[in-house]
Each structure stands twice: as C-alpha cells, then as structure tokens.
C-alpha cells in the first residue's frame, strides 16, 4: 500500500506542504491540487498529515469532520488538503503534469520591488 505523508511549514509567510510517499520526497508546494495530483499519480491509498492525522484516500466528509478536531499548526491548509483529497478518484490521469521549475515563493523573491 502506498502511504503518503504531508508536513506543513512556512516559507516567507506562505504555507508550504512537503509530500513524501513511502518515505521518498516527492514535492514541495503551496498547492493542495498539486499534492492531490501526485497522490493520484502514485496511487497513494493512505495519507498522514503532520504525523497527527491518518486517513484513507479518497477522503470523506467524515474524515474532514475528524480532521477539524485536530490542532494542526496550519489548520486551514490541512482542511483544504483533506477536502481536495475527496476528489482523488475523479482525476483524469496525466502523463506529464505541469511542474514549476521554481516554486512561487522563490519567484516572488526574484521579482524587483515596485
């Protein structure tokens, strides 16, 4: 069974998620949709969030209600992720998903101040 782990951190004030599947780093992003796409592509069946909450994929309304009771450091981002994972089976397979060479947070740093 493919087991996924998502942890949250902050980078320049933005919430960033790090996804690992079966112990291998996969992705660092601020997009729940990107995490869901990777979970779908890798066939993940179980998701652990910040080592505090474990759920089967795709998620359900019951899982969302249970997650709302957990004291995540980034509660809103965690709940958005759980909600987004409800549609994991509905995604069309994508051979080569769009990937950013540079994360948005780093792009923002590179832009000159206006």
């Amino acid at each position: 069974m493919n087991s996924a782990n998502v942890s949250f951190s902050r980078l320049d004030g933005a919430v960033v998620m790090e996804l690992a599947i079966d112990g291998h780093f996969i992705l660092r992003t601020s997009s729940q949709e990107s995490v869901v796409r990777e979970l779908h592509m890798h066939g993940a069946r179980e998701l652990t969030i910040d080592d505090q909450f474990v759920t089967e994929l795709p998620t359900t309304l019951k899982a969302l209600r249970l997650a709302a009771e957990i004291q995540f450091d980034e509660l809103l981002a965690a709940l958005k992720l759980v909600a987004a994972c409800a549609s994991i089976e509905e995604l069309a397979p994508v051979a080569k998903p769009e990937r950013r060479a540079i994360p948005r947070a780093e792009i923002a740093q590179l832009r000159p101040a206006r």
Side-chain angles (χ1 to χ4, degrees):
M1 175 188 290
N2 289 342
S3 179
N5 186 23
V6 172
S7 59
F8 295 95
S9 61
R10 287 223 172 228
L11 177 65
D12 297 325
V15 177
V16 177
M17 294 169 278
E18 289 191 12
L19 171 64
I21 297 179
D22 292 333
H24 295 47
F25 174 79
I26 302 295
L27 176 71
R28 179 179 294 125
T29 183
S30 59
S31 167
Q32 285 85 7
E33 291 80 9
S34 294
V35 172
V36 171
R37 184 182 311 128
E38 292 292 336
L39 292 170
H40 180 70
M41 287 175 39
H42 286 85
R45 304 308 312 156
E46 182 179 271
L47 175 65
T48 303
I49 300 175
D50 271 347
D51 295 324
Q52 296 179 358
F53 180 74
V54 179
T55 186
E56 291 183 6
L57 296 172
T59 57
T60 61
L61 182 57
K62 180 180 178 182
L64 183 59
R65 287 181 179 147
L66 291 171
E69 297 175 8
I70 306 294
Q71 296 298 315
F72 294 109
D73 289 338
E74 300 296 342
L75 180 61
L76 183 59
L79 294 179
K80 283 181 172 181
L81 178 60
V82 173
C85 287
S87 65
I88 203 165
E89 294 296 324
E90 299 169 8
L91 296 176
V94 179
K96 294 182 181 178
E98 176 187 346
R99 303 239 182 169
R100 291 186 177 275
I102 303 174
R104 289 182 192 207
E106 290 179 26
I107 291 172
Q109 289 178 343
L110 298 175
R111 289 186 182 150
R114 294 181 187 189

